[in-house]
């Protein structure tokens, strides 16, 4: 073999090795780029609603680039605001706006695709589609049905692709069954079982946490006299109605079909309504202490709690999706104080916490919608 042939051979081998290495890295990325993938650097292309204007942060500390301007005459309104916004694993951002479920691409956040008229929505178990929820008044939809007086409506759920294509799956539910989420075990719902007298003629609904079968009927009961706090993937977070303490928060696993206490936090007990990350491993929740509310992230696999400290937005509420605009984008948790404009990003697998150097200028209550997917 001549020197020239040896050089060509070595060059080819080098290219082959490089291609093999690249292929291996690609396969690792494809299989390992899940909701639990570590992320050492802050997210890019963060999409926000600043309270009437849509903005994008190219870098975490960048100046906001306005991509959706405030319409004339809406100085005191937020026409872009989403109810129950969430980012799917596909990258699409979904929420309720003006009585309809809309899908938004983080690459073009100024545009929205109307999926269907809806009062609520939740992601499909594969996090690629969405279920929209519509309701019909009890007097019309439940004639003759013997249901508690606290039942106000009958619900129907419809599965959609975020492209806006016509729906193919529609599932009317029995009266008194309100859908909440889809898990690996099926659709999770709250079933109103009976009324309970409170005082005088006032009554309140008593509900059971249930999982529906494919026909929409109640297939199994997770817990009686209880309320769903959050549900996703193979986890259902629930609380018994008669428990006043935060230590009563329970976690049901749809694979083992068992409930256990939520992971304990050294500072206090988890309270309020929290948010589950895609995959169901990480749960962001308020931690109630004797000196005020703190924010914690529970690892439901390892049964641990990471304390992220005090947030002024949690002074008046225990629900992290209210004044503290919280949003999971993969395994990154974004926290936006809707009063001060402070923005924090936490990567759950690594524990990394980033705090924006300069607060954002917000009005009318701001929201984080997610981040651009690579």
């Amino acid at each position: 073999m001549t020197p020239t042939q040896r050089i060509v051979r070595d060059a080819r081998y080098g290219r082959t090795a490089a291609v093999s290495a690249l292929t291996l890295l690609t396969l690792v990325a494809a299989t390992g780029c899940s909701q639990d993938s570590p992320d050492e650097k802050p997210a890019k292309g963060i999409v926000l609603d600043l309270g009437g204007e849509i903005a994008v942060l190219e870098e975490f500390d960048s100046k906001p680039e306005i991509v959706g301007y405030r319409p004339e005459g809406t100085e005191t309104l937020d026409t872009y605001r989403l109810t129950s916004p969430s980012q799917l694993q596909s990258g699409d951002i979904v929420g309720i706006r003006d009585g309809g479920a809309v899908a938004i691409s983080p690459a073009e956040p100024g545009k929205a695709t109307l999926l269907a008229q809806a009062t609520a929505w939740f992601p499909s178990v594969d996090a690629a589609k969405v279920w929209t929820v519509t309701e019909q008044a009890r007097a019309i939809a439940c004639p003759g049905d013997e249901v508690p007086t606290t039942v106000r409506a009958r619900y129907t759920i419809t599965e959609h692709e975020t492209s806006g294509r016509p729906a193919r799956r529609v599932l009317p539910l029995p009266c008194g069954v309100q859908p909440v989420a889809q898990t690996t075990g099926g659709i999770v719902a709250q079933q109103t079982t009976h009324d309970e007298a409170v005082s005088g003629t006032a009554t309140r609904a008593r509900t059971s946490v249930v999982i529906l079968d494919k026909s929409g009927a109640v297939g199994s009961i997770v817990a009686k006299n209880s309320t769903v706090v959050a549900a996703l993937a193979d986890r259902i977070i629930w609380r018994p109605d008669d428990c006043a303490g935060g230590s009563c928060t329970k976690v049901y696993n749809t694979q083992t079909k068992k409930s256990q206490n939520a992971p304990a936090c050294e500072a206090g007990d988890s309270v309020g309504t929290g948010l589950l990350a895609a995959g169901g491993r990480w749960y962001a929740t308020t931690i109630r202490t004797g000196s005020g509310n703190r924010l914690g992230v529970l690892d439901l696999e390892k049964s641990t709690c990471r304390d992220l400290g005090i947030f002024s937005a949690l002074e008046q509420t225990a629900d992290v999706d209210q004044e503290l605009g919280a949003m999971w984008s993969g395994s990154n948790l974004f926290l936006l104080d809707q009063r001060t404009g402070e923005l924090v990003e936490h990567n759950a697998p690594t524990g990394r916490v980033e705090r924006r150097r300069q607060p954002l200028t917000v009005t009318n209550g701001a929201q984080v919608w997610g981040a651009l997917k690579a």
Side-chain angles (χ1 to χ4, degrees):
M1 180 180 291
T2 67
T4 300
Q5 291 173 323
R6 186 177 294 109
I7 292 173
V8 171
R9 181 203 64 184
D10 293 344
R12 286 175 177 170
Y13 175 79
R15 284 197 299 271
T16 302
V19 169
S20 299
L22 179 60
T23 302
L24 177 60
L25 287 172
T26 302
L27 288 172
V28 170
T31 56
C33 186
S34 67
Q35 62 275 3
D36 296 336
S37 297
D39 186 355
E40 299 291 349
K41 297 180 180 180
K44 295 184 179 182
I46 302 169
V47 184
L48 311 103
D49 172 14
L50 298 180
E53 292 183 314
I54 301 175
V56 175
L57 301 178
E58 183 177 348
E59 303 282 347
F60 191 70
D61 283 303
S62 297
K63 179 181 177 180
E65 177 188 356
I66 305 301
V67 296
Y69 291 90
R70 183 185 299 279
E72 288 188 24
T74 63
E75 288 74 12
T76 60
L77 301 173
D78 182 359
T79 59
Y80 296 112
R81 186 173 182 80
L82 299 175
T83 301
S84 304
S86 183
Q87 185 171 27
L88 306 180
Q89 282 186 278
S90 64
D92 288 323
I93 299 158
V94 181
I96 302 293
R97 179 189 291 168
D98 296 329
V102 297
I104 298 168
S105 167
E108 296 182 288
K111 299 179 181 179
T113 300
L114 177 64
L115 304 181
Q117 296 301 307
T119 57
W121 80 281
F122 50 86
S124 62
V125 72
D126 62 4
K129 300 182 182 68
V130 303
W131 289 93
T132 58
V133 182
T134 54
E135 55 186 80
Q136 193 174 17
R138 166 186 170 166
I140 299 173
C142 310
D145 287 7
E146 295 184 4
V147 293
T149 58
T150 49
V151 173
R152 296 287 181 260
R154 182 173 187 171
Y155 298 92
T156 297
I157 56 175
T158 307
E159 192 178 42
H160 300 268
E161 296 181 9
T162 56
S163 63
R165 294 177 181 174
R168 296 183 178 180
R169 190 176 177 193
V170 181
L171 191 62
L173 304 184
C175 283
V177 174
Q178 182 174 5
V180 176
Q182 185 177 27
T183 66
T184 54
I187 300 290
V188 179
Q190 291 185 166
Q191 180 184 26
T192 301
T193 56
H194 61 282
D195 299 329
E196 182 179 75
V198 179
S199 61
T201 59
T203 59
R204 67 173 179 177
R206 281 293 194 174
T207 60
S208 292
V209 178
V210 299
I211 297 178
L212 308 181
D213 61 23
K214 292 182 179 180
S215 70
V218 174
S220 61
I221 299 174
V222 173
K224 296 181 179 180
N225 297 325
S226 301
T227 303
V228 178
V229 179
L232 199 64
D234 56 6
R235 301 279 190 338
I236 302 172
I237 314 296
W238 62 276
R239 288 174 56 84
D241 294 335
D242 292 329
C243 181
S247 60
C248 299
T249 301
K250 308 289 184 180
V251 182
Y252 179 85
N253 189 311
T254 60
Q255 302 300 314
T256 63
K257 298 182 179 180
K258 294 181 180 179
S259 291
Q260 61 183 25
N261 291 334
C265 299
E266 185 175 348
D269 296 323
S270 59
V271 295
T273 302
L275 293 176
L276 277 165
R281 174 175 177 177
W282 311 100
Y283 179 60
T285 181
T286 299
I287 307 300
R288 178 165 293 165
T289 72
S291 57
N293 290 340
R294 304 172 70 86
L295 186 76
V297 175
L298 309 185
D299 184 339
L300 302 182
E301 283 190 10
K302 296 185 177 180
S303 196
T304 58
C305 172
R306 179 176 288 128
D307 188 340
L308 296 186
I310 296 174
F311 287 81
S312 61
L314 293 177
E315 291 175 358
Q316 303 299 323
T317 179
D319 299 331
V320 298
D321 59 345
Q322 297 302 315
E323 290 192 41
L324 181 60
M327 167 69 73
W328 284 101
S329 179
S331 57
N332 285 327
L333 174 66
F334 292 103
L335 304 162
L336 175 61
D337 191 318
Q338 298 178 346
R339 294 177 293 176
T340 66
E342 294 178 279
L343 179 64
V344 177
E345 179 190 347
H346 167 64
N347 180 254
T350 64
R352 173 181 56 77
V353 176
E354 301 286 340
R355 297 181 184 273
R356 184 175 163 84
R357 296 189 184 95
Q358 295 293 328
L360 296 161
T361 301
V362 298
T363 57
N364 303 319
Q367 297 178 315
V368 183
W369 287 354
L372 184 66
K373 294 288 185 178

